[in-house]
């Protein structure tokens, strides 16, 4: 098995403890790292976060970053960061994910800022029923499992 994690899920300025806890659980199940970029809309010691993450946090490699710039400073040359956005045109199923890719999601209330999503390759999840967008933890789970399927061939 490789030292490189299957995936790295990145939450930019997450606002809701429950969503982050659920994403952490998904990361634990997949063997993915979780990166959280400040500021957060909650504290990692909040009861809601602990309730959502349960004991799954023990199985997650968690990285906290003070800012987008600090996060960027940790990226190796050639790292692939995929921005997920309702503004994208390319579907996540056609991305051709590779082990160690970063899947980036924006805050629940506003998504990724324009300056950030325009600087990165963007992917979207299909939303054939219309509506606004999926819940953050659902979107991260759908994307991460598809990326895992592409990488591992499940």
């Amino acid at each position: 098995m490789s030292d490189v994690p299957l995936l790295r899920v990145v939450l930019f300025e997450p606002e809701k403890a429950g969503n982050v806890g659920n994403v952490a659980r998904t990361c634990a199940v997949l063997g993915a790292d979780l990166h959280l970029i400040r500021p957060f809309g909650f504290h990692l010691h909040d009861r809601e976060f602990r309730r959502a993450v349960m004991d799954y946090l023990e199985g997650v490699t968690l990285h906290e970053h003070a800012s987008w710039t600090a996060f960027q400073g940790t990226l190796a040359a050639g790292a692939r960061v995929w921005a997920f956005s309702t503004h994208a045109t390319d579907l996540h199923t056609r991305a051709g994910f590779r082990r160690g890719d970063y899947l980036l999601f924006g805050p629940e209330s506003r998504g990724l800022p324009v300056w950030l999503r325009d600087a990165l390759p963007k992917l979207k999840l299909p939303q054939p029923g219309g509506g606004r967008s999926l819940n953050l933890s659902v979107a991260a789970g759908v994307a991460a499992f598809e990326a895992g399927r592409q990488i591992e061939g499940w």
Side-chain angles (χ1 to χ4, degrees):
M1 181 158 175
S2 173
D3 288 338
V4 176
L6 177 68
L7 294 167
R8 297 166 171 123
V9 177
V10 184
L11 302 181
F12 178 80
E13 300 182 359
E15 298 165 336
K16 300 195 180 296
N19 282 334
V20 176
N22 288 331
V23 172
R25 290 174 67 172
T26 297
C27 289
V29 168
L30 289 175
D33 285 4
L34 177 59
H35 292 256
L36 302 177
I37 300 174
R38 291 189 179 276
F40 308 153
F42 63 95
H43 296 284
L44 291 177
H45 301 291
D46 282 356
R47 183 175 50 219
E48 185 181 354
F49 176 72
R50 287 193 318 262
R51 183 175 35 239
V53 77
M54 297 189 331
D55 62 346
Y56 287 82
L57 199 55
E58 297 167 10
V60 176
T61 301
L62 178 65
H63 307 269
E64 294 180 56
H65 306 279
S67 66
W68 175 254
T69 303
F71 168 72
Q72 280 185 302
T74 68
L75 297 176
R80 296 188 338 156
V81 180
W82 300 93
F84 281 78
S85 173
T86 59
H87 300 278
T89 56
D90 295 329
L91 287 174
H92 74 300
T93 53
R94 298 194 180 121
F97 293 108
R98 295 191 299 233
R99 179 173 284 280
D101 278 356
Y102 293 82
L103 311 182
L104 173 66
F105 299 87
E108 293 90 330
S109 67
R110 61 190 186 279
L112 292 170
V114 173
W115 63 265
L116 182 50
R117 72 173 183 255
D118 285 352
L120 298 167
K122 292 178 287 301
L123 299 172
K124 71 176 182 176
L125 302 174
Q127 297 182 125
R132 292 172 44 208
S133 61
L134 290 170
N135 170 278
L136 172 63
S137 62
V138 172
V142 168
F145 271 86
E146 171 58 21
R149 185 195 67 77
Q150 289 182 25
I151 295 163
E152 294 294 322
W154 304 325

